[in-house]
Amino acid sequence: MTTDRRPDKIELDELDQQLADADNGNVSTLTQAVATYETQLASAHEEGESDRYRGISRTYREQLITVLDEAIQTEGWPFLEEFLDAYHPETTDGFPHVTTILQNVTGRYLIRTRLTDGVDTVPAPALAFFSSVLDQMEGDGYDFIREGLHPYGWGIGHPGHSVADNIRQHASEGLPLVNAILEHAFYADQHSAVELLEQLVNDESVQQTLPYRSGDISGPRYLLDAPAGAVSDFTPTIPRYWEWQKEFDYEFVLDEDVEQRIRDIVADKGIGDNLPTDWTVADLTL
C-alpha cells in the first residue's frame, strides 16, 4: 500500500489575512505577506523543521505567486523592482526563501514584456536578478531555483544585458541548466538562439561527455535538445502555474534557415549517425 508522505498543509492566519487584503485591492499588504512568508520559512529552516517548511510552501506558494503576479500586472515594473531589491540574492549568504516566488513572477513579467513590447523594453535589472541567481548556483540542490532560471533565456538579445555571454560563461558548470535556458531563448528569438548554440557547441568547455540513460553523450549532442524541445509537442511548465503559450496564443515555428544551421551542427559534430535517415529536429529530443 502506498502512503502519501507529503507534508500537511500549514495555514497561517496572519498570512491568510494579508493575502485576502491584497486580493481585495490593497496591494500594499503584499509587502507584509512576502515578509511573513519569508520569516516563517526562515524560522522553519533554522529550526530544522523540514515538514513545516514544506507544508507552508505547499500551502501558500501558488497563491502568493498568483496574487503577486496580478498586482505586478496592475502596478508595473517599479512594484516588482521593490521586491527584487529587498530580497536580492546578493543581500544574504544564501538564497532568500522567497527566491522561487520572485523568479516565477519575474519570469512572467519578462515573457509578457518581450512578447508584448519587445526585448528592448525589458528592464535590465530584471535580467540582472536572474544573472545574480545563476552566479550563485553551486553544486547540487536548489532544484526549484534551478528550474526558475529557465525563463532567463527570454532576455537573449537585450541591448543592456548579455544573456548569451552569461550562458557561455556557465556552460562548463552545468549543461542541463544551460540547455533549459537555451530552449527558452529559442522561443524568444530563434535566430539569436541558434547563433548562441553554434558558439556553444564549438566552445572548448562544452567538449565533455555526460551520462545519459542510453549511454554517455557529448556536450554538443546534449545542447541540441534545446531546439528539439522548442519544436516538440511538449508544453513548457516553467514558470509554474502559468500557461504562457495559451495566454498569448503562441506557437513556435522553426524557420528553414535556422533548421539548416542546426542540421549543419549535426553534420559537423558527427551526430547524424545515430539518427534516422529522414530525421527531423524533433528527433534530437533526449
Side-chain angles (χ1 to χ4, degrees), residues 217-233:
I217 60 175
S218 68
R221 173 66 188 90
Y222 193 94
L223 290 173
L224 285 165
D225 180 62
V231 302
S232 72
D233 294 331

Side-chain angles (χ1 to χ4, degrees), residues 92-194:
T92 60
D93 292 335
F95 292 112
H97 299 278
V98 296
T99 297
T100 56
I101 303 291
L102 297 181
Q103 284 178 294
N104 189 296
V105 295
T106 305
R108 296 183 189 206
Y109 181 87
L110 169 56
I111 294 171
R112 285 194 183 104
T113 302
R114 173 140 201 173
L115 289 176
T116 302
D117 300 312
V119 67
D120 291 1
T121 63
V122 173
L127 298 175
F129 168 73
F130 281 113
S131 177
S132 181
V133 175
L134 181 60
D135 288 343
Q136 294 193 46
M137 296 299 302
E138 295 181 3
D140 298 326
Y142 299 117
D143 290 344
F144 287 110
I145 292 179
R146 287 180 186 279
E147 72 171 31
L149 284 167
H150 298 179
Y152 182 47
W154 282 86
I156 194 167
H158 191 279
H161 180 101
S162 181
V163 170
D165 285 348
N166 286 335
I167 292 178
R168 285 197 298 269
Q169 179 183 342
H170 289 276
S172 63
E173 302 168 11
L175 284 184
L177 176 56
V178 166
N179 176 51
I181 295 173
L182 182 60
E183 179 179 331
H184 279 255
F186 267 93
Y187 297 129
D189 180 351
Q190 59 181 290
H191 291 88
S192 295
V194 77

Side-chain angles (χ1 to χ4, degrees), residues 34 43 48 64 78 81 96 127 135 160 167 170 173 206 209 230 274:
V34 172
S43 176
L64 184 54
E81 188 175 26
L127 298 175
D135 288 343
I167 292 178
H170 289 276
E173 302 168 11
V206 175
T209 57
N274 296 320

Side-chain angles (χ1 to χ4, degrees), residues 18-19 22 26-38 64-65 67-73 75-91 96 98-99 101-103 105-106 125-126 129:
Q18 291 162 348
L19 288 171
N26 185 7
V27 296
S28 63
T29 61
L30 272 172
T31 300
Q32 300 168 338
V34 172
T36 299
Y37 185 80
E38 172 72 18
L64 184 54
I65 286 171
V67 176
L68 187 56
D69 180 48
E70 290 173 351
I72 292 167
Q73 291 182 69
E75 303 296 320
W77 164 249
F79 184 74
L80 172 57
E81 188 175 26
E82 291 180 7
F83 289 98
L84 298 187
D85 288 343
Y87 300 97
H88 200 279
E90 296 176 355
T91 63
V98 296
T99 297
I101 303 291
L102 297 181
Q103 284 178 294
V105 295
T106 305
F129 168 73

